[in-house]
């Protein structure tokens, strides 16, 4: 699948997941902590006797799905008669549960008695004000309400809690620590109301639900953003790697293509050279001369650089063929060509004109210098021993391009001079106009 399509599909999946995460946030995050007798949590009943009172309290065994207790509050011995029921949420007194992200408390409670209210507490342990050895030092997050006769349950917000005044006063808590805290709740309590009326008080606690979130909504959205950022970064890293690979692959392919082109170029140059070269002598053939003549002509016309040519013909070559055979004649043709090519300048072009006749194109060369070159070649050929013993001579005709002269006329002038050289006895150099 192309990367782009993969990216679009991944993006779609991410968007759908994000939408689900946002819309389903409530269900995903919601958490409920339940207190009921079936949970098997530690619990105890207490009264004002610890403070010098004379009240009495007892658990009443009843239905297995509720806590049932009664208190007889006596107005003697202590000014604030009370009794209460405490459920420990964890086995530890110092290590509670974090309910900071909780919103609601639901209480299924029946009360019968002289008071018109009951109190509930969520007790928070914090080492800044609590000590492990004194269970009155955990913070009294308090809520007081009047139970109605036929109401099944009561629902409160965590925001409805306040910290009991008497506790703040008694423990001398500074203002900055006096607000309700729920980050380390160790116990839940139900206590008789602040009316402190003596008499019989009966309680049936069926269930408590603390409803909230596993963690803060802001953290949830932060998590979604982090996931997006991580996925985008991963995708970018993946694309960078992929593109680097693609660039590397493309460069490799380009290099391969360049290699092929270079090879083809060199092959076509080789083939081109072959078509312009005489197979026997290795000198250029007539086609090979064409480019050099064109260049020379251009230089003459645009820069007035002189263009001269030297026609060369081996003397009495027929005799050599007749005497030594055609193969030896071939060897001499090749030998002369090699000898000449070795001794001319890089700008000179040596070509076989046909048979035993050759032409030397000398660009940017005056006729006298071309004549000098021809003379040098003539002497060299005459002195050379082909196949170690055979000696031949050659005649030369030299001509140069002059204003208004065509290439054809140039070659004719050189040919005429060569003819004159033959006429005058061969093995010599004549330039046009020489008698
Ligand atoms: N071996 C060999 N001989 C060639 C080749 N091409 C032409 N010849 C011979 O060259 C000879 C040229 O003879 P002619 O034109 O009569 O001239 P010449 O004998 O060189 O006499 P002059 O030019 O007057 O000095 C002929 O016998 C051709 O057969 C070649 O490729 N190989």
């Amino acid at each position: 699948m192309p990367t782009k399509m993969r990216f679009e599909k991944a993006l779609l999946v991410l968007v759908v997941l994000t939408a689900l995460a946002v819309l389903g946030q409530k269900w995903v995050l919601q958490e409920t902590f339940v207190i009921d007798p079936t949970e098997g949590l530690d619990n105890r009943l207490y009264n004002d006797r610890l403070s010098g009172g004379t009240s009495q309290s007892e658990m009443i065994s009843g239905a297995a799905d509720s806590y049932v207790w009664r208190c007889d509050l006596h107005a003697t011995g202590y000014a604030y008669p009370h009794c209460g029921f405490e459920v420990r949420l964890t086995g530890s007194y110092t290590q509670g549960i974090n309910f900071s992200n909780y919103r609601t408390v639901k209480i299924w409670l029946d009360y019968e008695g002289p008071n018109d209210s009951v109190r509930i507490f969520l007790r928070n342990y914090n080492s800044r004000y609590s000590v492990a050895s004194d269970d009155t030092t955990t913070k009294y997050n308090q809520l007081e309400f009047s139970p109605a006769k036929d109401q099944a349950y009561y629902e409160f917000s965590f925001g409805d809690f306040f910290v009991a005044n008497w506790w703040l006063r008694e423990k001398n808590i500074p203002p900055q620590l006096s607000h309700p805290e729920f980050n380390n709740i160790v116990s839940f309590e139900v206590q008789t109301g602040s009316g402190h009326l003596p008499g019989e008080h009966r309680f049936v606690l069926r269930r408590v639900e603390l409803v909230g979130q596993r963690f803060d909504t802001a953290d949830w959205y932060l998590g979604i953003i982090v996931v997006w950022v991580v996925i985008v970064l991963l995708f970018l890293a993946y694309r960078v790697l992929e593109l680097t690979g693609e660039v590397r692959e493309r460069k490799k392919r380009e290099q391969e293509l360049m290699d092929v082109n270079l090879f083809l170029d060199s092959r076509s140059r080789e083939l081109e050279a072959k078509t312009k070269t005489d197979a026997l002598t290795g000198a250029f053939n007539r086609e090979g001369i064409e480019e050099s003549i064109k260049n020379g002509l251009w230089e003459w016309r645009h820069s007035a650089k002189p263009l001269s040519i030297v026609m060369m013909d081996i003397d009495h070559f027929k005799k050599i063929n007749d005497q030594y055979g055609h193969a030896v004649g071939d060897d001499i043709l090749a030998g002369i060509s090699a000898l000449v090519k070795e001794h001319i300048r890089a700008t000179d072009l040596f070509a076989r004109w046909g048979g035993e006749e050759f032409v030397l194109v000398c660009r940017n060369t005056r006729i006298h210098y071309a004549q000098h070159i021809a003379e040098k070649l003539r002497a060299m050929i005459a002195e050379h021993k082909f196949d170690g013993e055979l000696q031949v001579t050659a005649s030369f005709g030299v001509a140069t391009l002059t204003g208004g002269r065509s290439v054809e006329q140039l070659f004719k002038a050189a040919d005429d001079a060569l003819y004159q050289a033959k006429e005058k006895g061969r093995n010599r150099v004549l330039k046009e106009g020489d008698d």
Side-chain angles (χ1 to χ4, degrees):
M1 196 192 305
T3 310
K4 220 178 153 197
M5 274 305 279
R6 279 207 312 262
F7 171 71
E8 280 158 1
K9 285 195 172 171
L11 193 68
L12 187 69
V13 171
L14 260 184
V15 168
V16 169
L17 286 177
T18 305
L20 287 177
V22 171
L23 296 174
Q25 180 232 119
K26 196 177 154 199
W27 292 277
V28 176
L29 294 188
Q30 186 163 301
E31 194 173 49
T32 302
F33 186 90
V34 176
I35 300 170
D36 73 26
T38 60
E39 298 293 324
L41 297 166
D42 275 358
N43 58 76
R44 74 183 176 99
L45 203 56
Y46 63 90
N47 56 41
D48 52 27
R49 282 173 181 265
L50 284 172
S51 314
T54 58
S55 299
Q56 287 184 326
S57 52
E58 62 169 332
M59 293 299 295
I60 298 168
S61 50
D65 60 352
S66 53
Y67 298 109
V68 185
W69 70 96
R70 62 180 284 272
C71 305
D72 283 318
L73 298 193
H74 300 160
T76 50
Y78 186 56
Y80 307 108
H82 66 272
C83 86
F85 176 71
E86 179 188 23
V87 179
R88 285 269 164 85
L89 304 191
T90 65
S92 163
Y93 176 65
T94 55
Q95 207 53 55
I97 295 173
N98 183 0
F99 290 118
S100 299
N101 293 314
Y102 279 54
R103 300 279 167 266
T104 316
V105 188
K106 285 186 184 173
I107 303 166
W108 282 258
L109 178 76
D110 292 339
Y111 166 73
E112 278 177 34
N115 276 342
D116 57 5
S117 67
V118 295
R119 290 179 289 185
I120 60 169
F121 301 109
L122 280 172
R123 305 274 300 272
N124 197 72
Y125 184 94
N126 182 337
S127 57
R128 295 178 74 185
Y129 47 74
S130 309
V131 286
S133 57
D134 182 357
D135 71 356
T136 65
T137 56
T138 47
K139 184 177 275 182
Y140 280 75
N141 298 299
Q142 177 183 325
L143 195 77
E144 184 157 9
F145 67 98
S146 302
K149 256 261 173 267
D150 301 318
Q151 194 161 335
Y153 70 91
Y154 305 88
E155 184 170 331
F156 305 102
S157 155
F158 270 62
D160 298 334
F161 280 83
F162 60 92
V163 177
N165 249 326
W166 57 266
W167 182 82
L168 292 173
R169 218 171 34 246
E170 202 174 281
K171 303 300 174 190
N172 203 18
I173 303 296
Q176 62 272 24
L177 294 177
S178 65
H179 53 274
E181 261 180 304
F182 304 100
N183 60 354
N184 193 26
I185 300 294
V186 291
S187 67
F188 170 81
E189 283 182 35
V190 178
Q191 211 183 75
T192 46
S194 56
H196 302 290
L197 295 176
E200 187 183 346
H201 303 254
R202 284 179 164 272
F203 294 87
V204 177
L205 178 65
R206 281 190 285 278
R207 183 181 176 85
V208 179
E209 282 183 8
L210 305 175
V211 185
Q213 297 191 162
R214 272 170 241 282
F215 41 85
D216 197 48
T217 308
D219 291 343
W220 178 248
Y221 285 116
L222 188 68
I224 293 173
I225 291 169
V226 167
V227 168
W228 267 95
V229 168
V230 168
I231 286 175
V232 167
L233 285 178
L234 282 176
F235 176 77
L236 287 179
Y238 171 74
R239 280 296 288 153
V240 166
L241 283 177
E242 199 177 50
L243 285 176
T244 312
E246 274 174 23
V247 167
R248 209 181 301 125
E249 192 57 35
R250 199 171 302 156
K251 273 191 181 159
K252 214 172 107 190
R253 251 183 280 133
E254 278 173 6
Q255 187 57 48
E256 280 169 2
L257 218 63
M258 269 164 67
D259 289 348
V260 170
N261 283 341
L262 273 176
F263 171 71
L264 290 177
D265 277 358
S266 73
R267 281 294 293 156
S268 64
R269 270 200 301 276
E270 270 172 32
L271 288 174
E272 194 185 330
K274 258 189 188 163
T275 61
K276 292 179 177 175
T277 308
D278 175 59
L280 174 66
T281 61
F284 283 98
N285 56 23
R286 282 190 181 214
E287 274 181 31
I289 300 175
E290 191 184 325
E291 195 178 315
S292 180
I293 292 287
K294 273 185 190 163
N295 287 338
L297 213 55
W298 195 89
E299 285 170 352
W300 160 251
R301 290 207 178 119
H302 292 86
S303 318
K305 287 183 179 170
L307 173 68
S308 300
I309 62 166
V310 178
M311 298 287 279
M312 178 188 111
D313 190 282
I314 303 169
D315 297 333
H316 300 303
F317 195 61
K318 186 174 177 316
K319 276 187 195 165
I320 292 166
N321 270 335
D322 293 346
Q323 201 172 336
Y324 301 102
H326 208 261
V328 173
D330 281 356
D331 285 350
I332 288 175
L333 287 174
I336 284 180
S337 176
L339 195 65
V340 171
K341 279 202 291 180
E342 217 175 288
H343 291 91
I344 54 175
R345 301 166 301 180
T347 50
D348 295 340
L349 182 124
F350 185 62
R352 191 176 177 193
W353 194 242
E356 82 302 11
E357 202 173 351
F358 295 86
V359 62
L360 184 69
V361 181
C362 305
R363 280 162 50 195
N364 195 17
T365 306
R366 293 185 188 290
I367 191 162
H368 292 290
Y369 194 72
Q371 188 181 18
H372 166 75
I373 294 170
E375 184 55 44
K376 196 180 78 178
L377 295 176
R378 186 204 61 76
M380 202 175 58
I381 291 167
E383 281 165 25
H384 194 80
K385 289 195 167 122
F386 296 93
D387 280 350
E389 51 175 335
L390 280 177
Q391 283 190 285
V392 294
T393 59
S395 300
F396 297 79
V398 185
T400 195
L401 203 60
T402 53
R405 192 180 245 184
S406 69
V407 173
E408 196 183 347
Q409 287 166 334
L410 171 67
F411 275 81
K412 175 142 188 351
D415 209 28
D416 288 348
L418 171 62
Y419 179 78
Q420 288 299 320
K422 290 273 184 187
E423 283 292 294
K424 297 221 157 146
R426 298 181 174 80
N427 190 23
R428 66 193 60 218
V429 176
L430 280 189
K431 67 175 187 332
E432 57 178 316
D434 287 346
D435 291 325

